[in-house]
Amino acid sequence: ASRRIATNEGNPSWISGPRTVGREPFTRAPEARVDQPLIRSVAATLEAAADFTFKQAASAYIRANKAGWRNEKHAQQWTNTLTTYAYPHLGPILVRDITLANVLAALKPIWETKTETASRLRGRIESVLDWATAHGYREGLNPARWRGHLDKLLPKPSKVAKVEHREALDVSEVGAFMAKLRDMDGTGAKALEFAILTAARSGEVRGATWAEFDLTSKMWVIPAGRMKAGKEHRVPLSDEAVRIIEARKPLEGSPYVFPAPRGGQLSDMTLSAVTRRMGAACVPHGFRSTFRDWVSERTSYPGDMAEMALAHTVSNAVEAAYRRGDMMEKRRAMMQDWADRLDEWRAQAQA
């Protein structure tokens, strides 16, 4: 375009060309290149984060790190601890939505009764959430961090006082208990020892009849009508459990293996009375919890195998698998291992 300008003589003059006004002529910048693979990668990460649960994050963390852990048992212990204590509270929650309240819901129920386990659980939750943040699945501070955060809300593990009337003994305390129990006489004491060895409920042991046992195959089959879940429960017996049954003498006219003095079923208070006489800060049912802690913290046995041993409800597929012969033998190995550990701890306590 042309425009008119003034000259030194004051006469106008016409010139042609682009208007510059002291700047270079305007030119359009070239189109920026779009990194399509990067955009797709970011989009995929954001999409995955939208429905990535804590359980999925924990599984991914374990897969990513187990090669660097000292052995396969350590990886299984991670899985067991999270399955038992974290997943019921955090498992299905989107990892980006995990809050302080969610973390406390998992920690508080066991912080003062299973302090060592709770402290270990906190660290594992923190590691999983750190991993999720590093991979873009969540943002912000870690709600499971200890220093300057949870240490203001929970008592320091080393300062937690022992609870006087706990329902369950810590795994480290079972040896001394078993040593004292072995020295006690009476049907109630033997029934309690058998319950501990089999991780069975008090009522299942008190109602056990001779017809339920096949000592040749070392199996105890509890009929559905006596089970809490209404399903038949098969219990593989350790050598120690078999010896207790073999030492029992049938009481004439009574079907029970551990009968009351007159032949009827033992009272529901009989086993509890044994723990009270021993001065133990626990109840018979608590030994099921102790067994579960042992599996989670000190073994590499799968959590669902422990759930089957406790006759807890599991999926039909898991139940079918553990009823097969080979899986039943794995359960038998676990129960024998439990019995061996109890005997080992008892001997150590007596030394």
Side-chain angles (χ1 to χ4, degrees):
S2 299
R3 65 185 188 281
R4 187 173 61 177
I5 64 172
T7 66
N8 290 337
E9 291 80 12
N11 297 320
S13 175
W14 294 91
I15 63 173
S16 299
R19 174 183 278 176
T20 62
V21 192
R23 294 183 301 215
E24 292 297 323
F26 172 79
T27 57
R28 184 180 299 276
E31 294 291 336
R33 292 184 177 181
V34 178
D35 190 335
Q36 294 295 342
L38 176 61
I39 289 179
R40 286 194 294 270
S41 176
V42 171
T45 298
L46 293 174
E47 182 179 357
D51 58 0
F52 206 60
T53 66
F54 177 84
K55 185 175 182 179
Q56 290 173 314
S59 298
Y61 175 87
I62 293 171
R63 287 195 303 272
N65 289 275
K66 67 179 182 179
W69 289 338
R70 57 184 181 272
N71 52 45
E72 186 66 28
K73 179 179 178 179
H74 186 66
Q76 188 62 57
Q77 289 172 345
W78 258 78
T79 300
N80 290 346
T81 301
L82 293 173
T83 299
T84 304
Y85 301 110
Y87 292 165
H89 302 280
L90 308 176
I93 301 177
L94 298 181
V95 71
R96 59 181 168 82
D97 292 336
I98 299 292
T99 66
L100 172 61
N102 302 136
V103 173
L104 288 175
L107 297 178
K108 276 190 170 182
I110 60 172
W111 192 260
E112 295 188 2
T113 57
K114 302 176 183 178
T115 308
E116 182 181 349
T117 299
S119 181
R120 188 180 299 115
L121 175 66
R122 184 210 63 78
R124 290 174 179 177
I125 293 173
E126 181 181 21
S127 295
V128 171
L129 295 181
D130 277 346
W131 179 91
T133 300
H135 285 77
Y137 296 125
R138 61 175 284 117
E139 296 179 344
L141 295 175
N142 193 322
R145 67 192 187 281
W146 178 252
R147 189 180 299 277
H149 189 54
L150 286 179
D151 63 346
K152 309 303 180 187
L153 301 173
L154 296 170
K156 189 177 180 180
S158 62
K159 301 296 184 182
V160 175
K162 293 292 184 181
V163 179
E164 293 185 3
H165 300 290
R166 293 168 298 164
E167 291 191 352
L169 291 181
D170 187 79
V171 174
S172 63
E173 301 171 306
V174 177
F177 179 90
M178 294 300 289
K180 292 178 65 176
L181 180 61
R182 185 68 62 85
D183 292 336
M184 296 191 69
D185 295 324
T187 301
K190 294 305 177 185
L192 178 57
E193 184 178 0
F194 184 76
I196 295 171
L197 285 165
T198 56
R201 296 180 178 91
S202 170
E204 295 161 5
V205 173
R206 291 183 291 106
T209 64
W210 291 104
E212 295 171 359
F213 289 90
D214 181 349
L215 297 184
T216 301
S217 61
K218 299 198 296 186
M219 186 70 68
W220 176 25
V221 181
I222 310 174
R226 292 211 308 110
M227 294 301 302
K228 182 177 180 180
K231 292 184 178 180
E232 178 186 274
H233 182 49
R234 301 169 67 83
V235 183
L237 300 175
S238 63
D239 294 339
E240 291 75 5
V242 169
R243 280 196 285 270
I244 290 177
I245 301 302
E246 288 179 336
R248 302 297 300 163
K249 303 298 182 184
L251 182 64
E252 186 176 354
S254 176
Y256 300 112
V257 178
F258 302 99
R262 296 185 179 181
Q265 183 172 314
L266 284 176
S267 161
D268 59 356
M269 295 301 295
T270 304
L271 274 61
S272 296
V274 174
T275 61
R276 285 199 302 273
R277 288 198 302 273
M278 295 174 64
C282 63
V283 296
H285 191 82
F287 286 98
R288 287 165 54 83
S289 177
T290 303
F291 167 78
R292 190 65 178 86
D293 290 344
W294 170 74
V295 173
S296 298
E297 299 169 16
R298 304 196 181 194
T299 80
S300 57
Y301 295 113
D304 52 18
M305 186 185 293
E307 294 301 292
M308 281 295 295
L310 293 167
H312 286 165
T313 301
V314 295
S315 70
N316 290 335
V318 169
E319 183 172 1
Y322 281 101
R323 284 181 180 275
R324 293 201 307 269
D326 57 336
M327 301 304 281
M328 180 60 74
E329 288 309 304
K330 290 182 179 181
R331 273 184 60 196
R332 184 185 301 281
M334 178 177 67
M335 300 313 296
Q336 185 60 55
D337 194 7
W338 169 239
D340 290 343
R341 297 292 77 72
L342 290 173
D343 197 50
E344 176 186 325
W345 298 332
R346 178 186 59 79
Q348 290 172 352
Q350 291 176 322

